[in-house]
Amino acid sequence: MQGQLVPEPAVAVGEDPRTYARLMSAVYDATMAGDRAPARPRQVIEDSWRRLMSQGIGPDEMPAPIVESVGLEALRGASGLLDVLDEIAHGLESLVAEGENILVVADAAGRVLWRSGSTQVLNHADRLGFVEGAHWGENAVGTNAIGTALASKRAVQVFSAEHYLRSHHPWTCAGAPIRDPRTGHVIGVVDVSGPAATVHPTTVALVDAVARLAESHLREQHDRTLNRLRTVAAPILARIGSPALAVDQDGWVAAVDAMPLHNRILLPADIMDIAPGRVRLSALGPCDVEPLPGGWLVRLATDDSAGRLAHVTLDLSNPDAPSLAMTGQFAAWRHDISLRHAEILLVLATSSAGRTATELAADLYGDPSRGVTVRAEVSRIRKQFAGLLAAQPYRFAATVDLEVTYPVDMSTLLRSSTAPAIRSIRRSQS
């Protein structure tokens, strides 16, 4: 991972914010007019202004931010940031508790995914278009802590007239990028914004520290995921007795047997759409792959290792504890699943033609407009159990030999479920 640059506050400790604001206002007016400025802005601000000017973007010409209100839940689910929200909120609650600041988490494209704060500060943010779903990159709203943190890949504080848009001059903001600790790639930004008078030299350091804590949480979570996968895979690898390894959905190796040690292998870009069977991996050559909970079993292919259908059992015999089991050519496992995932899998098991997201939304919620929520849930299933489901429409993959085990008393099928489709299945088979 790249070394972290030390966060630079806009206003140094002991410096009068009002004096600095007046100076920056004069610098801003002169720079935007093409005149000689009384001073130079900080390097990170000057670089941002130059990027925008080089594109011919004027400080008073930018339209209101684009807002993606449709598909927001899908963006949140795909961001990789869901599991660190509590960590972020807890670390920055002292800045938001006074009611003058807004806490925002944006994705790698600068789109606002979540925000929190008092009603007053949220209303103020609304007037700037600083709302959930809004694009807040530099090209959308000029120099600001979210967009400039993404562009510079460092924590940054933007104060008053350091913002490129005049309409943002009453604000101060501090943002820090959050990196995926596995790849080093930036996956989002945490930002604290508020009235310019709330500027403080320590704010950007605190925001940066919370971003680093979030990264630490993601690293620990990934270690736990690999440990769970290792627990499932280790006895399988021992039984195989030939070169094989277990990897997560991103190719990180959880366990290996009779092969040189790899930290990670490059998987095909369409790995979620690959069915169990034979694939060619750039690092290993021809391999036979089978799904594991949270990853793949990868075995070096031999002439006598022709693949076969994976036998999958959706076990609903216990009304309160649904599970999924698979027996493949080499692997065999059982995994508990949530009620919602059991509902989705049962609906697909009883729909030979498959179901669209809209149809599944009606099946599960009685509301076809909740397709975005359904897509997010199916995406989680496909990530957890790769190769199980195909898409467009959603259905079980052709390489899956599916069996559903029902309870003796069909009236207790997924007892806690209120989904319309599940109620219908109960009635039809009781």
Side-chain angles (χ1 to χ4, degrees):
M1 185 180 295
Q2 304 173 0
Q4 301 291 340
L5 297 172
V6 176
E8 178 188 354
V11 181
V13 176
E15 186 174 3
D16 182 4
R18 291 169 297 184
T19 300
Y20 183 73
R22 287 194 293 270
L23 173 62
M24 279 309 305
S25 183
V27 169
Y28 177 90
D29 288 341
T31 302
M32 298 305 158
D35 299 332
R36 183 173 180 177
R40 292 182 63 181
R42 293 179 297 133
Q43 190 64 53
V44 67
I45 301 300
E46 184 176 26
D47 290 345
S48 176
W49 287 2
R50 283 178 176 171
R51 282 192 293 271
L52 292 159
M53 289 177 176
S54 69
Q55 299 176 60
I57 299 174
D60 299 308
E61 299 170 358
M62 301 187 82
I66 298 172
V67 179
E68 293 189 29
S69 55
V70 177
L72 183 59
E73 286 301 322
L75 291 176
R76 289 169 171 169
S79 69
L81 297 167
L82 272 169
D83 294 325
V84 295
L85 285 179
D86 290 343
E87 195 91 19
I88 291 170
H90 178 71
L92 295 172
E93 62 185 356
S94 62
L95 295 179
V96 181
E98 299 299 322
E100 293 184 299
N101 291 296
I102 181 175
L103 170 62
V104 169
V105 178
D107 67 8
R111 294 170 294 204
V112 176
L113 300 182
W114 297 275
R115 65 175 195 166
S116 63
S118 70
T119 301
Q120 181 179 358
V121 74
L122 290 176
N123 288 340
H124 192 178
D126 289 346
R127 290 193 286 273
L128 290 177
F130 200 18
V131 298
E132 291 177 342
H135 284 246
W136 217 252
E138 276 193 346
N139 289 343
V141 294
T143 307
N144 73 97
I146 291 176
T148 304
L150 287 172
S152 64
K153 294 181 171 56
R154 59 175 295 184
V156 60
Q157 187 171 41
V158 181
F159 173 59
S160 190
E162 291 181 332
H163 288 90
Y164 194 70
L165 294 189
R166 295 181 195 274
S167 58
H168 293 188
H169 288 189
W171 282 75
T172 183
C173 51
I178 300 172
R179 291 174 172 82
D180 184 334
R182 302 168 301 172
T183 64
H185 296 156
V186 173
I187 58 173
V189 177
V190 55
D191 167 89
V192 171
S193 298
T198 64
V199 66
H200 195 281
T202 62
T203 300
V204 65
L206 178 58
V207 171
D208 188 53
V210 168
R212 303 291 77 75
L213 284 174
E215 291 172 357
S216 178
H217 182 88
L218 289 172
R219 187 178 301 108
E220 292 171 358
Q221 182 186 55
H222 186 236
D223 288 342
R224 289 194 297 270
T225 299
L226 288 181
N227 285 335
R228 287 194 295 269
L229 179 56
R230 189 174 298 119
T231 299
V232 174
I236 296 173
L237 292 176
R239 288 197 305 270
I240 292 175
S242 60
L245 47 77
V247 300
D248 72 5
Q249 297 293 346
D250 297 307
W252 292 94
V253 177
V256 61
D257 186 63
M259 291 180 64
L261 182 63
H262 295 76
N263 288 326
R264 189 182 187 188
I265 61 173
L266 182 64
L267 298 178
D270 58 348
I271 188 66
M272 287 179 64
D273 294 316
I274 290 177
R278 187 156 295 181
V279 298
R280 175 172 288 276
L281 302 180
S282 58
L284 303 175
C287 294
D288 290 317
V289 299
E290 293 183 15
L292 296 171
W296 289 94
L297 173 68
V298 179
R299 182 178 182 272
L300 295 184
T302 61
D303 291 340
D304 60 352
S305 61
R308 70 179 187 188
L309 293 180
H311 182 79
V312 174
T313 301
L314 176 59
D315 189 351
L316 308 177
S317 58
N318 184 332
D320 303 308
S323 66
L324 194 68
M326 192 210 76
T327 302
Q329 186 173 3
F330 310 108
W333 49 262
R334 177 177 292 273
H335 192 79
D336 293 336
I337 57 177
S338 68
L339 173 63
R340 178 61 74 208
H341 288 179
E343 291 171 336
I344 292 172
L345 294 175
L346 178 56
V347 170
L348 296 181
T350 55
S351 305
S352 58
R355 305 293 279 172
T356 65
T358 300
E359 290 170 336
L360 272 177
D363 293 332
L364 301 176
Y365 302 103
D367 181 358
S369 69
R370 298 190 63 176
V372 170
T373 303
V374 166
R375 279 190 286 270
E377 288 291 350
V378 175
S379 177
R380 292 187 184 99
I381 297 174
R382 298 186 75 209
K383 186 172 183 180
Q384 180 71 7
F385 304 107
L388 182 68
L389 299 181
Q392 297 180 342
Y394 296 125
R395 63 200 186 280
F396 279 90
T399 52
V400 171
D401 175 27
L402 179 65
E403 175 186 0
V404 180
T405 304
Y406 292 99
V408 174
D409 181 358
M410 282 297 293
S411 67
T412 66
L413 175 68
L414 296 178
R415 195 197 317 264
S416 301
S417 175
T418 58
I422 305 304
R423 292 201 304 265
S424 177
I425 294 172
R426 287 184 195 132
R427 288 193 300 268
S428 66
Q429 299 196 28
S430 293

